[in-house]
Amino acid sequence: LSSAAARARRELAEAMVTKEEEEHLGLTGFGPEVALYRTMLRLNELHQNRNGEWFFAKPDERNPNLKFLWDFMDGILQNTAEKIDSGLVNISTIIDKIKMPPFGLREGPFLIFLLHYLLVNSNEIALFQEGEYKPYFGEAEVALLIKRPDLFSIKKFNINPFQRDIIKTYFEVLNSKEIQMDDSLRNTSLLKIVSPLLKFIDS
């Protein structure tokens, strides 16, 4: 990527993790980051408005190519989620697979689609940096992910209805004045119990 394109991609990525609820992700003007947003996210209906609320949406049958890409990543993570070991998938491994047929997608644009995938699936997919769980995903993390994707891995958690009820009960007990939920918390299902506890203990 040129320096201008790399900067535009970074600015778009940072807006994605901080301003999902805003129209055009809060981007204004006619700069390259706005062009990237319009062509990659808005045109593909990956950032939608419903009743005045903006949110990231999963691609559907109206966009079969991106849905195929999405399902392919689902398959990679589902296969590892069923393993007995850690089940971590390095992002560089996913990038290498996406560069091959039938996709042939370059790393530059793919990282934006991958970030969108992680944001939509934040309840089920945990992010790790050099093996350490990252409960919060902000501008610093996304800037490093864009620059060094090889440092990051992801893992999918499968949760059945019985486990979901248990998680809900634990969360109701733990979400107290002493252990508060943070708006920037990535995983709000299983990990929404672990993450506030970790933050509370760390402080």
Side-chain angles (χ1 to χ4, degrees):
L1 294 178
S2 67
S3 58
R7 182 172 60 253
R9 183 182 62 174
R10 188 191 70 249
E11 291 178 1
L12 173 58
E14 291 174 354
M16 290 174 68
V17 297
T18 58
K19 300 179 180 179
E20 176 183 351
E21 300 82 7
E22 296 186 27
E23 184 177 7
H24 303 138
L25 300 178
L27 300 171
T28 59
F30 301 94
E33 69 282 355
V34 177
L36 281 180
Y37 165 76
R38 290 177 174 172
T39 55
M40 297 187 69
L41 300 179
R42 192 73 186 96
L43 186 64
N44 288 310
E45 298 185 351
L46 300 181
H47 192 223
Q48 299 182 11
N49 181 294
R50 181 183 299 158
N51 301 323
E53 295 183 1
W54 288 90
F55 63 97
F56 289 124
K58 178 180 178 178
D60 55 26
E61 287 73 13
R62 292 173 296 180
N63 197 328
N65 289 334
L66 283 181
K67 186 178 185 303
F68 183 44
L69 174 64
W70 183 288
D71 293 342
F72 182 78
M73 289 190 289
D74 274 348
I76 293 175
L77 292 179
Q78 185 60 42
N79 289 336
T80 56
E82 295 170 354
K83 291 182 178 179
I84 298 176
D85 59 15
S86 66
L88 294 180
V89 181
N90 190 273
I91 288 181
S92 289
T93 300
I94 300 176
I95 291 174
D96 290 340
K97 292 179 180 294
I98 295 300
K99 287 181 178 179
M100 298 171 61
F103 299 102
L105 186 60
R106 296 188 179 188
E107 182 174 336
F110 172 66
L111 285 174
I112 294 298
F113 290 132
L114 175 66
L115 178 57
H116 167 265
Y117 177 85
L118 295 178
L119 292 171
V120 173
N121 290 291
S122 62
N123 286 352
E124 299 178 354
I125 297 178
L127 183 71
F128 296 80
Q129 179 182 335
E130 297 183 276
E132 180 181 344
Y133 169 57
K134 304 292 290 185
Y136 300 93
F137 193 29
E139 294 177 80
E141 288 78 14
V142 76
L144 183 59
L145 186 149
I146 290 292
K147 187 176 181 180
R148 290 287 308 276
D150 57 295
L151 298 179
F152 292 86
S153 300
I154 54 180
K155 175 182 175 65
K156 183 172 183 177
F157 289 87
N158 293 325
I159 303 174
N160 61 44
F162 177 70
Q163 291 171 322
R164 189 173 291 109
D165 290 340
I166 296 175
I167 290 166
K168 181 180 178 182
T169 302
Y170 269 112
F171 174 61
E172 290 172 351
V173 173
L174 292 173
N175 192 28
S176 64
K177 291 182 180 180
E178 289 74 25
I179 306 176
Q180 287 287 340
M181 287 287 288
D182 191 302
D183 290 338
S184 62
L185 180 65
R186 258 190 63 75
N187 310 103
T188 56
S189 54
L190 170 64
L191 303 175
K192 75 181 179 183
I193 297 172
V194 178
S195 302
L197 282 173
L198 290 175
K199 188 174 183 180
F200 174 69
I201 293 170
D202 188 53
S203 65

